[in-house]
Amino acid sequence: MGIKNISDNREQIRVSKDRIFYNINMRDIDYIRAYNSETQIFAKGETFRSDDSLVAVEEILDKCVFFKISRSYVVNIQRIKELDEAGRRIKIYDEFIPVTARKMSALKKACVEYKLNRGENS
């Protein structure tokens, strides 16, 4: 399972939920969290798991879209609804996710660059 079984076009990742395997599109991933000895992948309101480490999953993600905000989290920049600098956290849908203090400045820069590269105005 996992990284070794990603489709040839590198657009999908193999995950499981309730012992059933799925291929999910990377663009559908909201965020990824390292939890105990597994990696949890949150996509489309569901939680999937991978036996691969967060580092292994991170290696295959598009660096222009995904950003590592702490040792435990990688987020899809497109999904960030709010960036709370004072509280050092971001909001993705209704979830608040902590951002390491030293990553906050780089995250802000990555968000601006993403919007500029995608031609967005806000």
Side-chain angles (χ1 to χ4, degrees):
M1 179 178 92
I3 302 303
K4 296 169 216 58
N5 294 330
I6 293 173
S7 67
D8 291 337
N9 65 11
R10 312 283 279 175
E11 294 292 322
Q12 294 184 332
I13 184 170
R14 190 164 174 86
V15 296
S16 67
K17 180 176 181 174
D18 299 327
R19 297 185 183 188
I20 299 172
F21 294 97
Y22 302 91
N23 288 325
I24 60 172
N25 290 323
M26 287 193 204
R27 69 176 175 264
D28 293 333
I29 296 172
D30 301 322
Y31 63 96
I32 303 165
R33 175 175 76 165
Y35 184 74
N36 294 331
S37 63
E38 67 180 41
T39 302
Q40 294 178 323
I41 299 169
F42 298 83
K44 293 188 167 188
E46 296 190 61
T47 304
F48 300 93
R49 70 181 238 31
S50 171
D51 292 329
D52 295 302
S53 70
L54 183 62
V55 172
V57 174
E58 183 184 12
E59 286 178 10
I60 60 151
L61 298 172
D62 181 348
K63 305 295 186 261
C64 295
V65 178
F66 290 91
F67 188 87
K68 189 169 189 174
I69 60 170
S70 70
R71 287 179 52 186
S72 300
Y73 286 93
V74 174
V75 298
N76 183 334
I77 293 172
Q78 297 170 307
R79 302 297 195 277
I80 297 174
K81 302 297 179 200
E82 182 180 320
L83 194 138
D84 176 7
E85 285 185 76
R88 290 196 325 258
R89 62 186 186 166
I90 59 169
K91 184 176 184 181
I92 295 182
Y93 299 111
D94 292 331
E95 290 285 320
F96 285 98
I97 302 170
V99 179
T100 303
R102 62 185 178 82
K103 294 282 191 166
M104 185 59 79
S105 177
L107 174 61
K108 284 175 39 182
K109 182 179 177 185
C111 289
V112 169
E113 286 177 6
Y114 176 80
K115 287 183 179 191
L116 287 174
N117 290 333
R118 298 295 191 249
E120 296 179 18
N121 295 327
S122 56

